[in-house]
Amino acid sequence: MEETRNSPFLNSQDRISNLPEDIIDRIMSFFEMKEVVQTSLLSRRWKDMWTSVSTLHFDTRAFMSSEAKESIHYREEKFDLCWDNKSNDIAENLDTWIIIALKHSVQRLTIEIEYNEDVTFRLPRRLFKFSSLTSLVLDFNGSRVVLPDSMCLPRLEYLDLRKIRIDDVKLLNKLLSSCPVLEDLILKDIVANNEDGVSVDIKSSQLKHLKMVNNYRTACNMAKIIKLTTQGLKSFICSDYMKLKYSLGNLSSLVTASIDMAATHEIEEDLYPERMIKFLLAVRSVEELTLLSDVVQVWLFIPLNYFV
């Protein structure tokens, strides 16, 4: 029988079922989990095949009302969880999902929580002592995250922390210092309690790319001093408020920088230019420099021979 476009079978054989398992696994990776499970009804061979797929993709829009949106995406080396649901299931099950991912030796882990309630997340200690992890993204939409006292991430190269409340800035520093080969760091809207006046200490000879972003609220609740010891830094993006004092150290390796430092009513008029000049002096050797908003206004009043 000649095969046609509308004929999935050739000589009465199921060609899809006869494909190699890795090809079938790749095909099923594009399906929603509900559809993957439904393949168990196709034949005896397909009955248990769904249990061994390497990619799990859950979307509650296939199971629940359109108002609930949550997504879990797992691969052998990658686990992504995106949650936009007002139920308490996330707080109750997050640990379990992370531990399962770690048991599969994931290298890249992303957790994004869009949750509007005041929830505390106690992430498993094992997460912060996982030797295989190379990339970690945590976005908790302003919720409190409890970090352990001891952390060690020897292979972590990429760390992205967004909208997280941490009990003590010392714990943030411990997390940063626990990543000896970190190359990319993003800190965005981090609230870290700082009753002892401790600075945020970013100390890494391996760090190549750094992005610091704070809105006004987080700038008011962050450590007053941001200290960089990053002599190998290549690119630096900073969008912040000048009420935070930056101690930039040696940035002689810096190639590109984007600076957007806003003034606040707490900063006296003469203090802002002084801090800004020190900031600009630290990045003066860059090949490409982008200055935005208030920075440009200060730049206009700096004598041209100041940097000579």
Side-chain angles (χ1 to χ4, degrees), residues 90-152:
I90 182 62
E92 297 171 358
N93 296 299
L94 182 58
D95 277 17
T96 301
W97 292 331
I98 292 177
I99 290 174
I100 291 174
L102 298 181
K103 285 182 178 179
H104 286 80
S105 299
V106 294
Q107 295 181 9
R108 295 175 291 169
L109 179 66
T110 298
I111 308 293
E112 297 180 4
I113 309 296
E114 289 295 329
Y115 198 84
N116 296 324
E117 302 294 335
D118 187 11
V119 177
T120 295
F121 292 92
R122 295 182 180 274
L123 302 181
R125 289 178 176 269
R126 183 179 175 185
L127 170 61
F128 298 98
K129 289 190 174 182
F130 194 65
S131 59
S132 298
L133 207 60
T134 61
S135 173
L136 178 61
V137 179
L138 299 177
D139 183 344
F140 283 84
N141 198 35
S143 295
R144 175 174 173 252
V145 174
V146 177
L147 297 178
D149 292 333
S150 177
M151 292 171 273
C152 182

Side-chain angles (χ1 to χ4, degrees), residues 199-260:
S199 63
V200 173
D201 196 358
I202 303 174
K203 184 184 300 183
S204 173
S205 60
Q206 301 296 319
L207 195 65
K208 300 294 188 296
H209 310 286
L210 173 62
K211 183 176 182 179
M212 299 280 299
V213 179
N214 279 308
N215 60 37
Y216 181 75
R217 175 179 171 274
T218 53
C220 291
N221 292 278
M222 175 56 89
K224 302 306 179 186
I225 300 176
I226 313 294
K227 184 181 297 184
L228 306 187
T229 308
T230 52
Q231 57 269 28
L233 200 64
K234 299 297 184 182
S235 69
F236 181 34
I237 297 175
C238 186
S239 179
D240 213 330
Y241 287 80
M242 191 52 74
K243 68 176 299 165
L244 302 181
K245 182 179 180 181
Y246 276 78
S247 176
L248 300 179
N250 180 7
L251 295 179
S252 58
S253 297
L254 203 61
V255 177
T256 65
S258 176
I259 310 300
D260 181 6

